[in-house]
C-alpha cells in the first residue's frame, strides 16, 4: 500500500535503458489514475520511490523479456484495505492499466484491435473497413505503398486469428 506506480529498477539506483519511456508512460498512467477519484499516486523507479528491493516481477519482465512493466502500491492504511477502499482501488488501477495497455498495443502492434479500445470485437473490423475504404495510409498493412485487397485479407486473417 502507499499509492504508487512503480517501474524498474528495484535493485539498482541506476536508471534502466528505457527509463525515459517508463517515466513518460508512468506520468500518463498517473494522470489516468488521478482522473478517477482525484488521488495522485507517486510514480517512479521502485528503488527510489519506495525502497531498494530485489526479485521483483517488474525487474524480471523488463530485464529478461524487455516488457514495459509496472506494479502498483494501492491506497489504504495497510495491506488489508478496508472494504470501502477496494472498489476505488480497482477503479484507479484499471484506469492506469488501461493507459498502459493502450501503449503496449501501439508499441507491439495488436493490429486487429483497430479502434484501440482494448477489446476485440466486430467494431474493430468495421473501423478497419472504414479506414480501408477511405484510403487511410494506416490501412496499408503490408507496407507496399498501396491499399488493396492484400491488406484487407491480411487484416481479416489477423482478426480471425485473434478471436
Amino acid at each position: 500500500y502507499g499509492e504508487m506506480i512503480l517501474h524498474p529498477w528495484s535493485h539498482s539506483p541506476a536508471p534502466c535503458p528505457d527509463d525515459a519511456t517508463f517515466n513518460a508512460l508512468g506520468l500518463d498512467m498517473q494522470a489516468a489514475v488521478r482522473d478517477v477519484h482525484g488521488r495522485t499516486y507517486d510514480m517512479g523507479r521502485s528503488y527510489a520511490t519506495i525502497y531498494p528491493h530485489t526479485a521483483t516481477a517488474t525487474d524480471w519482465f523488463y530485464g529478461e523479456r524487455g516488457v514495459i512493466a509496472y506494479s502498483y502500491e494501492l491506497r489504504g492504511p495497510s495491506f488489508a484495505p478496508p472494504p470501502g477502499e477496494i472498489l476505488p482501488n480497482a477503479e484507479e488501477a484499471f484506469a492506469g492499466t488501461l493507459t498502459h495497455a493502450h501503449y503496449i498495443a501501439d508499441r507491439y502492434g495488436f493490429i486487429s484491435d483497430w479502434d484501440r479500445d482494448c477489446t476485440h470485437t466486430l467494431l474493430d473490423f468495421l473501423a478497419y473497413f472504414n479506414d480501408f475504404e477511405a484510403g487511410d495510409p494506416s490501412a496499408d498493412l503490408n507496407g507496399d505503398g498501396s491499399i488493396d485487397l492484400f491488406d484487407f485479407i491480411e487484416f481479416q486473417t489477423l482478426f480471425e486469428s485473434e478471436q
Side-chain angles (χ1 to χ4, degrees):
Y1 65 95
E3 298 181 19
M4 296 177 215
I5 301 169
L6 305 169
H7 65 79
W9 295 123
S10 303
H11 67 279
S12 170
C16 69
D18 290 304
D19 196 61
T21 298
F22 277 107
N23 285 323
L25 177 55
L27 289 172
D28 290 345
M29 292 168 61
Q30 183 185 52
V33 166
R34 184 178 45 251
D35 287 347
V36 176
H37 296 293
R39 303 286 278 262
T40 301
Y41 285 36
D42 291 334
M43 189 284 303
R45 269 185 264 130
S46 293
Y47 186 94
T49 304
I50 189 168
Y51 46 74
H53 50 290
T54 60
T56 66
T58 54
D59 282 5
W60 184 86
F61 280 120
Y62 178 68
E64 293 297 318
R65 299 288 189 236
V67 174
I68 302 298
Y70 293 85
S71 65
Y72 291 91
E73 295 287 331
L74 301 176
R75 60 156 82 188
S78 72
F79 288 111
E85 296 289 326
I86 294 171
L87 184 57
N89 268 324
E91 292 166 340
E92 290 163 348
F94 180 76
T97 301
L98 191 58
T99 299
H100 186 193
H102 280 284
Y103 171 82
I104 296 298
D106 288 341
R107 179 175 177 160
Y108 296 105
F110 297 112
I111 295 170
S112 67
D113 181 16
W114 197 256
D115 62 6
R116 297 292 191 250
D117 66 353
C118 293
T119 62
H120 193 256
T121 66
L122 182 60
L123 295 176
D124 295 304
F125 193 84
L126 295 174
Y128 176 78
F129 184 75
N130 285 336
D131 288 347
F132 177 85
E133 284 291 308
D136 187 310
S138 65
D140 179 15
L141 297 183
N142 61 12
D144 68 357
S146 64
I147 301 164
D148 54 26
L149 184 60
F150 294 112
D151 298 303
F152 190 83
I153 291 169
E154 184 171 344
F155 183 80
Q156 183 178 1
T157 302
L158 289 167
F159 184 82
E160 289 172 356
S161 71
E162 293 179 10
Q163 282 283 352

